[in-house]
Amino acid sequence: MSEPAASTSAAAFCAGLVREANFDRYAATLFVPPEKRRSLLALAAFNAEIVRVRSQVSQPLPGEVRLQWWTDLLAGTAHGGAEGNPVAAELTRAIAEHALPVEPLTRLIEAHIFDLYNDPMPDWTVLEPHLVETEGALISLTARVLAQGAGQASDAVEHVARHAGVVVGVARIVARLPYDSARRQLYLPNDVLQRHGCDLEQVFSGQSTAALRAALTEVVAEARKHLDQAFQELIELPAAVRPAFLPLGLARCDLNRLAGPERDPFTPFERSRLATLWTLWRASRSKPFR
């Protein structure tokens, strides 16, 4: 029996949104079983909607209202529910089909309230949970979808997802430094910046100082510790869930490029779509992910 046109249209909308908003996540879904792809695109589309709230509002309060709608949707109290919103419809479908927990999605929304303000990220004790509840949550939920049932959603998977979330998140933060600093927002831990004598106003004005490069070196080194730990533990996970961690392959390559001693941290970071697909394909063929 064919699906209703509205359902297939919503799925196509989510696929298009993810392809344009976050090609990395879109490309990663091409390396999982086809029957799982729709739900993964729903999760990625939901994330894209949450992340882009900051760019859609000029003040924090309207942004919080938008995020609250998603929180209410997950709680079943949103006005109008998922009707008329293809991303909400697809997310609701994915949650029901795979018995996904709602709490990680709610925490992801709460974590992104930080995006609406220009407060500095205080230190690693705040940054790490932030990355775990955003990037890490998406990886964990992806693993649940791939697990063929709740039985494989083990503590071990969650543990690797936490490390992977930090790695992917740090790579994204360093890569997006030119964009975020231009709007006077920094996700780099402020205590690391201060320890190296990095002046925030110089960062906001795009000055590539020795102090900033030293701080970035420390941040990348910390991410690599999580990367090493994630790869050590990944090999012990069930083969079915390992493709959820393919973003680690991209992050590893990105960190290598971003950490180059001669690289200007304010040079926009670019990776072609072809390079993204090639990197993910190579990772998918390597032992940790198979």
Side-chain angles (χ1 to χ4, degrees):
M1 184 176 180
S2 62
E3 290 191 75
S7 178
T8 56
S9 176
F13 178 89
C14 287
L17 172 61
V18 178
R19 191 175 190 274
E20 293 306 314
N22 193 328
F23 186 76
D24 289 2
R25 291 196 187 284
Y26 175 83
T29 67
L30 302 179
F31 297 89
V32 303
E35 67 272 14
K36 304 290 186 178
R37 197 169 295 151
R38 180 174 176 176
S39 294
L40 298 186
L41 287 169
L43 288 171
F46 160 74
N47 183 68
E49 288 283 76
I50 299 303
V51 168
R52 70 179 182 174
V53 166
R54 163 68 191 247
S55 65
Q56 294 174 326
V57 298
S58 57
Q59 297 293 329
L61 184 56
E64 291 207 38
V65 171
R66 293 193 182 202
L67 293 179
Q68 185 61 48
W69 184 87
W70 285 99
T71 300
D72 293 343
L73 175 78
L74 293 172
T77 59
H79 179 68
E83 293 82 2
N85 187 315
V87 176
E90 284 294 287
L91 178 66
T92 302
R93 175 189 177 278
I95 290 171
E97 181 175 348
H98 301 284
L100 297 177
V102 170
E103 185 180 358
L105 296 169
T106 301
R107 290 201 304 267
L108 182 149
I109 296 170
E110 292 173 351
H112 279 294
I113 293 176
F114 182 87
D115 302 350
L116 304 177
Y117 298 87
N118 288 341
D119 299 329
M121 181 63 69
D123 51 42
W124 271 107
T125 65
V126 178
L127 176 60
E128 187 169 320
H130 177 83
L131 298 180
V132 168
E133 291 175 358
T134 53
E135 301 289 351
L138 288 171
I139 293 171
S140 173
L141 289 166
T142 297
R144 284 178 177 266
V145 171
L146 297 179
Q148 303 292 339
Q152 290 183 352
S154 65
D155 290 343
V157 172
E158 296 295 320
H159 194 259
V160 182
R162 292 177 67 87
H163 287 297
V166 174
V167 177
V168 173
V170 167
R172 175 179 52 80
I173 287 170
V174 179
R176 285 177 53 87
L177 179 62
Y179 174 76
D180 288 335
S181 61
R183 64 183 190 183
R184 299 185 66 83
Q185 186 169 44
L186 283 179
Y187 290 87
L188 296 170
N190 194 42
D191 64 330
V192 175
L193 295 172
Q194 296 302 317
R195 183 162 58 250
H196 290 280
C198 188
D199 183 89
L200 293 185
E201 289 302 322
Q202 290 180 321
V203 179
F204 293 144
S205 63
Q207 298 182 44
S208 178
T209 63
L212 174 60
R213 290 194 295 272
L216 288 172
T217 297
E218 180 177 332
V219 170
V220 170
E222 185 66 24
R224 281 176 166 156
K225 294 178 184 177
H226 287 274
L227 179 66
D228 291 343
Q229 191 63 37
F231 274 121
Q232 287 179 25
E233 299 179 15
L234 180 60
I235 197 68
E236 302 299 327
L237 298 184
V241 306
R242 292 181 202 163
F245 298 88
L246 280 171
L248 281 173
L250 289 174
R252 176 171 57 185
C253 293
D254 290 350
L255 288 174
N256 289 338
R257 289 182 58 195
L258 292 164
E262 302 303 320
R263 181 182 179 274
D264 182 344
F266 293 102
T267 299
F269 180 78
E270 297 180 355
R271 178 176 12 86
S272 71
R273 292 188 170 188
L274 179 60
T276 298
L277 291 167
W278 172 248
T279 302
L280 286 169
W281 180 82
R282 286 197 307 168
S284 72
R285 306 292 293 177
S286 66
K287 186 176 181 180
F289 298 102
R290 300 186 70 178

